[in-house]
């Protein structure tokens, strides 16, 4: 089996992610955002906006200096080459991937949970579909029982039914306003040519999604690849997909060398062309002089085991911990300088006042960063200043 060093795998991951060298900066902001999403195959959505921008906006801002926080909130709109569906989590994905999730829509239709939601509320599901067909798109907020005044939506399960219909493909998300989903019929959201495209077999769809994931990651373990699009409930088909890709030479087994002597290599996969690219990237001298903040849910960071392997960085997400049990803060953003994660900052935005407060800053140890704590703090401050400018806030 071939091997790759953590250094080379890290360079490859950052290059593919548009974080090692500038990418997409010559495109208009919206086109650049679409190109970035096509690279990964998804942009994970998240509700937390305490830092002044939600995760999906932070992912764009970290790579696109000309992108502001507002763009990430408006990407899904009628005519955009995106659709919203359950990918890694709830995500915006390129329209060309819509047919590849047919197997998931079928699974949800017959699942023990989502299928039973519809089965238990068939009249409500029929009424919901009829109302949207007749009256037009419906906001998620309108399903919470306090709209219209006639009590028609005074059904606690209404929102769950809408989500079940979305997961099974009977509804689609037309757009989001103030991060609220707006439900509509698929024929009014997904272009006819996309809906008419032949739906691949489950194995063929899984192969496509595995290749999409590997193109984003560079090198990855089988677990990382399957978790990228949450490929669950299709164990036998997934085994066949890996086997067929390997037999065709489309993907190559490649182990990540252990960072310490005597450690065990971690098995994984790589695209054949990416192996040579990784070697060429080792010749670069990445400068730390343009540091950026990353979302903890960035495509490069959500797999915490992989982050430890490639960066030697212990990523933690402490949103659900009580204040007294947090080590770093509520929603800490790692600071990337060059190819190193050098610190993490916890930010709190006051939109009404136009201010961004640094709640805490935690530099990594000098032995890990190769720089003094003072230099690390300076770079972290630059990253915060850049982020604040894109978010339209002043640092306090």
């Amino acid at each position: 089996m071939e091997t790759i060093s953590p250094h080379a795998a890290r360079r490859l991951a950052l290059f593919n992610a548009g974080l090692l060298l500038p990418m997409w900066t010559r495109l208009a902001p919206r086109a650049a955002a679409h190109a970035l999403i096509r690279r990964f195959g998804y942009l994970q959505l998240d509700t937390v906006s305490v830092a002044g921008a939600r995760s999906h906006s932070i992912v764009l801002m970290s790579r696109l200096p000309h992108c502001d926080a507002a763009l990430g909130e408006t990407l899904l709109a009628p005519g955009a080459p995106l659709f919203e569906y359950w990918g890694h989590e709830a995500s915006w994905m390129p329209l060309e991937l819509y047919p590849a999730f047919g197997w998931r829509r079928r699974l949800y239709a017959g699942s023990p949970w989502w299928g039973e939601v519809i089965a238990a509320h068939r009249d409500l599901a029929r009424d919901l579909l009829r109302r949207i067909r007749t009256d037009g798109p419906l906001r998620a907020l309108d399903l919470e029982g306090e709209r219209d005044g006639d009590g028609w939506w005074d059904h606690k399960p209404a929102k769950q039914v809408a989500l079940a219909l979305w997961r099974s493909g009977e509804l689609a998300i037309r757009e989001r306003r103030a991060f609220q989903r707006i439900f509509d019929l698929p024929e009014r959201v997904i272009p006819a040519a996309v809906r008419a495209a032949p739906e691949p077999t489950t194995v063929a769809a899984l192969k496509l999604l595995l290749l999409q994931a590997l193109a984003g990651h560079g090198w990855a373990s089988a677990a990382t690849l399957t978790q990228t699009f949450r490929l669950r409930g299709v164990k036998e088909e997934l085994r066949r997909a890996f086997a067929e890709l390997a037999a065709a030479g489309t993907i190559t087994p490649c182990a990540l060398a252990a960072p310490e002597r005597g450690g065990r290599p971690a098995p994984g996969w790589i695209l054949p062309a990416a192996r040579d690219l990784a070697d060429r990237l080792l010749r670069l001298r990445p400068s730390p002089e343009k540091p950026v903040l990353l979302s903890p849910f960035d495509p490069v960071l959500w797999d915490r085991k992989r982050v430890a392997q490639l960066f030697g960085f212990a990523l933690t997400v402490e949103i659900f911990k009580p204040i007294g049990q947090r080590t770093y803060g509520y929603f800490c953003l790692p600071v990337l300088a060059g190819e190193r994660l050098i610190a993490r900052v916890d930010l709190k935005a006051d939109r009404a006042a136009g201010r961004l407060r640094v709640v805490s800053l935690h530099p990594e140890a000098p032995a890990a960063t190769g720089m003094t704590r003072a230099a690390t703090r300076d770079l972290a401050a630059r990253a915060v200043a850049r982020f604040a400018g894109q978010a339209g806030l002043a640092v306090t």
Side-chain angles (χ1 to χ4, degrees):
M1 182 182 294
E2 291 188 25
T3 61
I4 187 171
S5 70
H7 187 192
R10 179 172 68 246
R11 290 271 180 102
L12 184 60
L14 291 173
F15 176 80
N16 283 6
L19 289 166
L20 191 67
L21 296 172
M23 287 188 184
W24 312 301
T25 54
R26 294 186 178 183
L27 298 174
R30 193 169 294 273
H34 293 159
L36 192 159
I37 294 172
R38 283 194 296 274
R39 168 59 60 88
F40 292 119
Y42 67 98
L43 181 63
Q44 179 183 338
L45 305 177
D46 189 74
T47 62
V48 178
S49 61
V50 66
R54 293 186 175 90
S55 175
H56 41 285
S57 290
I58 298 172
V59 171
L60 303 179
M61 293 158 67
S62 63
R63 293 150 171 89
L64 307 172
H66 57 325
C67 170
D68 60 24
L71 176 63
E73 298 300 318
T74 61
L75 281 180
L76 187 70
L82 304 172
F83 73 105
E84 181 172 329
Y85 196 55
W86 201 257
H88 177 69
E89 299 287 351
S91 303
W92 292 336
M93 295 184 281
L95 272 173
E96 54 264 32
L97 288 184
Y98 183 84
F101 285 94
W103 61 274
R104 174 161 289 164
R105 292 188 285 271
R106 291 191 298 273
L107 275 182
Y108 278 132
S111 74
W113 168 245
W114 296 104
E116 287 181 6
V117 167
I118 296 176
H121 303 283
R122 290 194 185 280
D123 289 344
L124 180 56
R126 280 193 295 268
D127 287 347
L128 174 58
L129 290 170
R130 182 169 57 247
R131 179 162 183 175
I132 291 176
R133 183 174 295 108
T134 302
D135 298 340
L138 198 62
R139 297 180 304 168
L141 201 62
D142 293 327
L143 301 173
E144 295 177 358
E146 297 181 1
R147 296 294 184 272
D148 295 348
D150 60 2
W152 198 89
W153 284 116
D154 285 337
H155 299 280
K156 288 184 179 180
K159 194 169 182 180
Q160 291 298 322
V161 168
L163 288 172
L165 292 171
W166 167 60
R167 288 175 183 249
S168 65
E170 294 181 74
L171 284 178
I173 308 299
R174 180 180 182 82
E175 58 184 311
R176 283 188 182 242
R177 296 179 195 159
F179 206 61
Q180 279 284 319
R181 291 184 178 103
I182 297 178
F183 294 98
D184 203 349
L185 302 177
E187 54 265 35
R188 298 200 294 235
V189 175
I190 307 300
V194 175
R195 289 185 287 108
E199 196 171 283
T201 66
T202 300
V203 172
L206 295 177
K207 288 163 68 173
L208 187 156
L209 294 173
L210 289 172
L211 289 174
Q212 175 71 70
L214 195 53
H217 291 302
W219 172 90
S221 68
T224 297
L225 294 178
T226 57
Q227 289 168 13
T228 299
F229 289 105
R230 307 293 187 190
L231 305 180
R232 299 168 178 163
V234 284
K235 184 176 180 179
E236 178 56 28
E237 292 90 341
L238 189 57
R239 184 196 65 76
R240 283 181 53 198
F242 269 112
E244 290 180 13
L245 288 171
T250 309
I251 62 176
T252 302
C254 182
L256 184 72
E260 66 279 343
R261 294 184 64 183
R264 299 184 64 180
W269 299 93
I270 198 168
L271 297 172
R275 190 64 190 83
D276 293 335
L277 174 59
D279 290 338
R280 294 198 302 274
L281 291 174
L282 288 176
R283 302 170 197 161
L284 297 177
R285 295 181 178 273
S287 170
E289 296 304 310
K290 293 183 178 180
V292 295
L293 301 184
L294 300 182
S295 163
F297 305 128
D298 191 283
V300 174
L301 298 184
W302 57 255
D303 188 332
R304 300 181 204 177
K305 179 179 179 180
R306 175 181 166 84
V307 172
Q309 290 173 319
L310 301 191
F311 294 91
F313 185 87
L315 182 66
T316 59
V317 178
E318 301 180 299
I319 293 173
F320 301 108
K321 288 185 178 181
I323 293 176
Q325 296 179 20
R326 294 174 193 155
T327 302
Y328 300 108
Y330 176 72
F331 191 71
C332 276
L333 307 181
V335 181
L336 177 71
E339 62 176 314
R340 295 287 185 183
L341 297 173
I342 63 168
R344 61 196 94 200
V345 293
D346 192 26
L347 303 176
K348 186 173 179 61
D350 183 343
R351 276 284 173 196
R355 299 288 181 181
L356 181 66
R357 180 165 63 92
V358 178
V359 179
S360 65
L361 166 62
H362 299 274
E364 289 291 280
T369 62
M371 60 183 70
T372 65
R373 289 188 184 273
T376 297
R377 288 180 179 276
D378 176 66
L379 289 170
R382 285 193 232 171
V384 171
R386 167 180 155 151
F387 174 83
Q390 290 175 284
L393 301 169
V395 181
T396 59

